[in-house]
Every structure is written in C-alpha cells, then in structure tokens.
Amino acid sequence: MIETLLVANRGEIACRVFRTCRELGIATVAVFADPDEGALHTRTADAAVRLPGAAPAATYLRGDLIVKAALASGADAVHPGYGFLSENAGFAREVAAAGLTWIGPPPDAIEAMASKTRAKELMGIASLDADAVTDADLPLLVKAAAGGGGRGMRVVRERDALKDELAAARAEALSAFGDGEVFVEPYVEGGRHVEVQILADAHGTVWALGTRDCSLQRRHQKVVEEAPAPGLGRELTARLEEMAVRAARATGYRGAGTVEFLVVGDRAHFLEMNTRLQVEHPVTEAVFGVDLVALQIRVAEGAALPPAPPAPRGHAVEARLYAEDPSRSWSPQTGTLHALSFPAGGGRGPTPVDGASGAVSGVGSTPVDGASGATASRAWTRVDAGYGDGDRIGVHYDAMIAKVVVWAPTRREAVRRLAGDLARARIHGPVTNRELLVRSLRHPEFAEARMDTGFYDRHLPALTEAADGEELAALAAALADAAARQAGGRTAGTTTARLGGWRNLPSQPQVKRYRGRDTEHEVRYRVTRDGVLAEGFPGVRVRRAAPDAVRLEADGVEREFRIAVYGGDRVHVDTATSAHTLTRLPRFPDPTAQREPGSLLAPMPGTVVRVAEGIAPGAAVTAGQPLVWLEAMKMEHRITAPASGTLTALHAAPGRQVEVGALLAVVQAAAQEENAS
C-alpha cells in the first residue's frame, strides 16, 4: 500500500494529485525549483524538497534529483503528472530501481508509444523524410517526438522555411522535454482533434472511457476540451474506442493514457498515444463519475478494475485560462496574480481558488462540486488551479493559470454555464485569454459543434476585438479614484462618497486619463449642484460612487462597476458581464520615456536564444523578417521587423536575459529614411 506519494511536477497537476491523495489518506511531497518556492503546489503538499536552479533542464527534468528527493522525504511512490518526465521511460526505470512505486505505465510501453515516431511505426504509419520533401508534400507539420502541449511543433507551408522550422522545433523540444528529436508528417487541415481516454490494469482489463473533442487549439496546444466529442455517431465512436484499446493491448499497457486521432468526416487518422494523464482529463472524470488519479494509484497498487467502466452521463466542457495575450501572437504574460475567484453555484458568492476546490468522486459515484454541493442532476463547476491570490506568474514555465470545468445534463447547458462563469470571474493581474474563451464558447460555430483545428485561424481577429464598454469602465474608474480621494484615504468600500466640492462659480472639469487595451481614454467630469456630470457621456448618470464600486445609469439601465487598484496605476473594473483592465496615465507624460520609431521591445521577460544570421547594424531588412528569437515559458517567440528598411541598432545577443520592454533592436523604415533625406 502506498503511504506517501511524491509528484514529480509542479503547478495545477501537482495540486490536483495532492487533492486526491488527501481523500485517500496518502501523505504528499512536492518538489520545487527556485522560482516555485512558495508556489501553490509547494504550499499544498505535506512536505516539499527544493531542486536548486530555475531552468527545467536543471530541475524538473533531472530524474536523479527527483528520485533522491523521494528517498530523502520518505515517499514510497512517484506520480509524474504530465509534461516534463511523465513520458520518460528512463525516469520510470530509475524510480522502480530505487524501490519506489511508479504511478504510470511500464517503461516498455512508454518507449513503444511515448516517442511519436516509434508509435507510428508500431501502428504501421510512416513519417516523411525531411530531406526529400517536395512542394507536393506541403503543408507539413514538424513535431517533437517526445512530450506534447504543442511544444516543438510547427506548420510549414513553404519548403524554403523547413530548415529554420526544424531547427526551432528541435531547440524548443530540447528545452521543454530534454529530447530534441523531431519528425515531419503531412498537415491535414479542416480536421477535428478527437481522443479516447483509456485505463488498463495488470489483470487484462482495458477501459475505453469515451471520447473528447480538443479541436480549439492555439499553437497546436489545446484551449477548450469537451466530453463526449459531439456529433461523431455511434459507429465512428466505437471504431475509435476499439483502435485505442488495441493500441493499449499491443503495448501491454497499464494505467491511464490517451490515444489521439485527427477526424475528417467519418475517417480517423492516428496521431499519437500519450502514456500519461492529459490536461483535459477532468471532463472525462465529470462524465463518467470517476477520479482518474485515484484509479491510477489503485492500479499501481495491483488492484483490478471492474469489467466495465461506469455509464457516461451528461456533458462536460473545460477551458484553459492562460496568462497570455491572444491579440498579440498569444504572447505569454508575467506578473502578480492579485485575485482569482469564480462564481459559486446557487448565488452563494465567489469560489476561492486554493488548489482543493471542486472535488471529484470515486468510481461509479456522482460527481459533487465542493463549493455548492450540487449533484449530477444540476450543473456544477470545478476549478483546478496552479496559482492563488498573490502568486507571481514567471517566465520559466507554462502560462496556464487554471482549468475551469463545467458539467451539465446537456452540452448546451454546460457551454452556457462555462461562458457565464468565466465572464463573471474576478481575474486581476496579467493579461489573460479570458475574453477569448468567453467569445469562443459563444461563437455559433462552436455552439453548433462545427469547429475544427483551424477555428482560430479563421476567427481570431474577430474574437480579439476590443470589448465594448471600455469607455464606461474608464469613467467608473475615474469616479472611484475621485471617491477614494474624497474619502480621505479611508479603506476602500467603507465610505460612499458624494464627491463634494461644488462651488457656485464655474470651474475647470476634473480630468483623468487611462490607457485601455488599444485606446487611451480621457475622462472629464464636474461636481455640480445636481450631482456629478460626466462630459462626453450623454445619458449617463452617477447613482453611487465609492472607492471600490461605482453605479452608473446609462440610458435608463443601471450597472455596478467593481473597482480594484494595484500598484497605484493598474485598475481592474468588473461588471456582471464583462471585465476591463486600465492603466492610469500621468497628466504630463515623461518625455524621457519616449522611444524612437521602429524600436523593437521585448514583449515579455525572457532569454535571447538566437539572432538572425548575418545581420548587423546597417543591414537591410524586410517587413516580417525574424530578427531575434526570445525564449519564455518554454516556448520560442519571434521578434520580427515591423517594416522594410535598415537595422540601425542591435542590442540583443544570445544568452542575454531581458525584462519586458527592453530594447532589442531598432529598424528605420524605408519611409523614414526618405523623409530624413
């Protein structure tokens, strides 16, 4: 029997495994790199062991250090989570050789399927020879042989770009998984990403726990997942499940795993088998009423599964909340997560995120939401988070903040509730993809289950347009600012300010300036005998103004705006249906803060991994030409020339650590050169 379990991972998956261990009475041990000291998973475990360093290659990818940590802490089992070493057969053997229980498939099964190239060989599918591809083979997909999550993956539409894309994919895969092997295969457009969850014991029983649709992806990484995959039909579903079970039996599989397919019409193309738990496993747990982590542990202890899994019920949808800006090439964001909470069921207030909310049940029982106590007869929400209030999101690891999962009797109800929960959540800190998720869930193509893996290629510009209501949010922020000053610095929320100071002589209006996502807003208001009058906002009346909440009436409709300010200039404005983030601007901008035109600034903190070959100040560049590659959160990000012209300065160098806003290079556009001459 397992008494103490170490999770060889971090973030949300570690917190999720710890939650199940508590329910089973198993003690827990976390490992943490230096940036994760004090992180949510480190705080959640019963004990924690430091892995000195920050880079994954020196910490979470060091199997020898993790085994040593398990032995030092008294753990008798290791759960790999997903990512990092979860599909590393050598690590699984190290764990077993140390006398520890491995919560995963046998190393031979990992070797057979964890490498996508060997998995394809086992399934009789050949990869393309990268040195022999022709234009007729385009488009191509470059993929990492190890790991997943979209890292080390590139779509190639021009043969001349293949060499650079192979190099970039190898570098990214090596950084993320410690294995730089990549391969090339045809890229099939217009398909759906569908997968089958399997679970096998050591006694010959293999479960196929239905299908999941994971078609909404960015950078080949899943964003929204659901179970069961809608609209497949019984025959195709049965065929996919049969293929998944066959793959498991062919490798002598044991534990949880996923077999992935690309579905086009009624045809299914095998993609890969993931020999680990998937990020999206909660939707399967919700539909089948099981705890897959608990079942993994029981299988590892030698228990036999029942002959068949529980019957599925209802529908579940999951959305991944990332600290990233979809409107700016999905660039990861860093900073302090000041607040993270979601609406609770039954109108009982927000659900705090502490890594333990949203419990799931054991085999065959009804899933129960830990916050509302709702059973499977009505919709419920579960939040799996890797961060809590006050945690800092850094540059070293994945940018996922949390997964929000909703179960409901029907798909329509589940999708609607998930969109509503996300819209009403309080998420204060770095920019996130929350608005994109809400709009995606409400998009007709998704609502009608007509999506495919090209969803964001078609719809991203429309889905990332600036949200309506930012001007009103700026007005509310300005009034809250004034109310806070009028309250004399008293605690926010304790005083309802009347915004006094009216005089019977004409006076200049109060002026406040804010920067929204793409636009600056100037708010002018006067305090008059009849109350506060906002210039430029016809039909708007101020009903109430306090430092933390402002109530406005616009064209006869009253709305509450909740205000929170962090760091003196970052303002978060929440309503019941939308959220806005604003930055207070100084009345007189600092002229020394201005940058010359054509300045290329680091969009995030990170490390310069390479600079384009042969470029130096004075070189001619073309619009869109990659100049600098920046690595942040285990992914490479290209910094490209904004226009054709001349590179006049280059400050980036391989290995240089840069902060957000650091000057990397300057490109003088051709038009600027003409004007200068």
Side-chain angles (χ1 to χ4, degrees):
M1 292 289 290
I2 294 171
E3 300 295 337
T4 304
L5 184 146
L6 178 145
V7 177
N9 219 294
R10 64 174 303 280
E12 162 269 327
I13 180 57
C15 294
R16 187 263 175 273
V17 175
F18 294 156
R19 183 177 66 230
T20 289
C21 286
R22 283 198 298 271
E23 294 171 356
L24 297 177
I26 296 173
T28 57
V29 180
V31 290
F32 66 94
D34 289 343
D36 279 334
E37 184 176 8
L40 184 60
H41 80 278
T42 308
R43 304 194 304 265
T44 302
D46 297 320
V49 180
R50 175 177 175 243
L51 304 176
T59 55
Y60 296 110
L61 288 171
R62 285 285 302 274
D64 58 332
L65 295 183
I66 293 173
V67 169
K68 187 180 297 184
L71 295 174
S73 63
D76 51 10
V78 173
H79 192 296
Y82 36 69
F84 294 130
L85 294 171
S86 61
E87 294 180 284
N88 188 303
F91 177 55
R93 291 192 175 100
E94 283 185 76
V95 170
L100 304 169
T101 299
W102 169 250
I103 312 296
D108 289 346
I110 296 176
E111 286 184 333
M113 283 296 187
S115 168
K116 299 174 180 64
T117 51
R118 289 188 286 274
K120 285 180 173 291
E121 291 171 2
L122 187 65
M123 301 294 285
I125 303 169
S127 299
L128 294 175
D129 181 354
D131 296 324
V133 298
T134 66
D135 289 340
D137 297 316
L138 298 173
L140 301 172
L141 186 63
V142 179
K143 295 177 72 174
R151 298 179 185 87
M153 192 178 294
R154 300 285 193 281
V155 175
V156 180
R157 300 185 184 278
E158 298 179 2
R159 190 155 56 96
D160 291 343
L162 180 58
K163 179 181 176 182
D164 286 344
E165 297 293 8
L166 284 168
R170 289 189 185 105
E172 194 170 274
L174 185 63
S175 173
F177 314 120
D179 184 343
E181 182 187 355
V182 298
F183 66 97
V184 177
E185 67 182 12
Y187 179 58
V188 180
E189 299 187 275
R192 292 173 58 186
H193 188 118
V194 177
E195 58 192 32
V196 175
Q197 175 72 57
I198 61 167
L199 188 71
D201 63 19
H203 307 279
T205 298
V206 180
W207 284 1
L209 289 157
T211 59
R212 296 189 289 250
D213 188 291
C214 310
S215 296
L216 264 61
Q217 303 177 1
R218 58 94 166 108
R219 287 182 170 178
H220 312 289
Q221 191 171 40
K222 301 157 189 173
V223 177
V224 176
E225 305 101 344
E226 60 182 305
L232 290 187
R234 291 184 180 179
E235 182 180 342
L236 179 56
T237 298
R239 192 159 77 246
L240 294 175
E241 291 181 339
E242 189 274 329
M243 291 172 66
V245 170
R246 191 170 73 241
R249 293 195 183 282
T251 57
Y253 201 80
R254 184 173 70 247
T258 303
V259 183
E260 301 192 350
F261 303 91
L262 186 66
V263 173
V264 182
D266 62 352
R267 294 180 295 117
H269 304 269
F270 171 80
L271 289 177
E272 60 185 309
M273 180 176 180
N274 290 296
T275 54
R276 55 176 169 81
L277 208 60
Q278 293 279 87
V279 178
E280 58 273 17
H281 74 273
V283 293
T284 296
E285 292 182 324
V287 168
F288 282 85
V290 299
D291 182 331
L292 287 173
V293 173
L295 290 170
Q296 283 184 298
I297 293 172
R298 291 168 188 165
V299 165
E301 291 177 325
L305 294 171
R313 186 180 181 189
H315 201 94
V317 188
E318 171 183 293
R320 303 189 192 186
L321 180 68
Y322 285 97
E324 65 182 12
D325 190 345
S327 68
R328 292 175 171 82
S329 301
W330 310 96
S331 60
Q333 305 292 298
T334 60
T336 301
L337 183 66
H338 299 288
L340 177 65
S341 63
F342 294 83
R348 290 170 44 178
T351 299
V353 176
D354 61 1
S357 59
V360 291
S361 59
V363 181
S365 60
T366 300
V368 176
D369 173 26
S372 65
T375 65
S377 62
R378 50 184 282 227
W380 50 262
T381 302
R382 158 180 164 177
V383 178
D384 286 2
Y387 296 90
D389 292 359
D391 287 346
R392 178 166 180 80
I393 300 170
V395 301
H396 299 285
Y397 314 115
D398 189 86
M400 186 170 70
I401 298 172
K403 304 180 308 193
V404 187
V405 186
V406 166
W407 180 94
T410 67
R411 181 180 189 269
R412 181 179 179 182
E413 292 172 279
V415 171
R416 180 172 59 195
R417 169 145 177 171
L418 180 55
D421 282 353
L422 286 165
R424 292 177 175 86
R426 293 181 73 245
I427 307 169
H428 296 170
V431 174
T432 73
N433 66 336
R434 182 254 297 273
E435 184 66 26
L436 174 81
L437 294 173
V438 173
R439 294 182 181 186
S440 299
L441 292 164
R442 291 172 175 169
H443 193 279
E445 196 170 295
F446 182 81
E448 297 166 12
R450 294 186 286 107
M451 63 284 180
D452 58 48
T453 56
F455 180 85
Y456 287 125
D457 293 336
R458 296 188 298 274
H459 303 302
L460 187 62
L463 292 171
T464 55
E465 290 178 349
D468 293 335
E470 194 171 81
E471 281 191 320
L472 273 181
L475 171 61
L479 296 175
D481 200 14
R485 290 201 316 277
Q486 186 68 22
R490 281 171 278 189
T491 304
T494 61
T495 301
T496 300
R498 298 182 60 188
L499 301 184
W502 175 82
R503 294 179 295 169
N504 62 356
L505 296 175
S507 61
Q508 293 297 314
Q510 298 290 324
V511 180
K512 296 288 183 295
R513 296 173 58 244
Y514 297 88
R515 183 173 59 246
R517 201 189 74 172
D518 299 312
T519 309
E520 290 189 7
H521 304 281
E522 185 174 270
V523 177
R524 295 172 175 265
Y525 63 89
R526 297 174 188 269
V527 181
T528 73
R529 187 193 303 273
D530 299 320
V532 180
L533 298 180
E535 296 182 3
F537 291 89
V540 175
R541 299 180 64 187
V542 182
R543 289 299 188 185
R544 176 180 177 271
D548 61 349
V550 171
R551 193 166 188 86
L552 299 178
E553 178 189 314
D555 298 324
V557 179
E558 291 191 17
R559 287 185 173 85
E560 183 90 352
F561 294 77
R562 291 171 294 160
I563 316 294
V565 182
Y566 304 96
D569 62 354
R570 194 72 165 170
V571 184
H572 289 267
V573 184
D574 295 304
T575 75
T577 57
S578 65
H580 305 273
T581 302
L582 305 165
T583 301
R584 288 174 176 165
L585 297 176
R587 187 167 186 178
F588 302 104
D590 181 359
T592 64
Q594 302 298 316
R595 294 283 192 180
E596 63 180 296
S599 295
L600 303 184
L601 309 180
M604 69 207 74
T607 304
V608 177
V609 292
R610 57 189 176 120
V611 175
E613 288 185 33
I615 67 163
V621 297
T622 58
Q625 177 183 343
L627 301 179
V628 178
W629 282 259
L630 191 66
E631 184 183 82
M633 298 183 179
K634 298 195 296 182
M635 299 191 78
E636 279 193 0
H637 307 273
R638 297 178 182 179
I639 311 300
T640 61
S644 296
T646 302
L647 182 72
T648 60
L650 179 63
H651 301 284
R656 180 188 168 196
Q657 298 280 334
V658 297
E659 294 298 321
V660 62
L663 181 63
L664 302 176
V666 179
V667 174
Q668 186 176 42
Q672 292 175 310
E673 294 174 355
E674 292 177 6
N675 293 335
S677 63

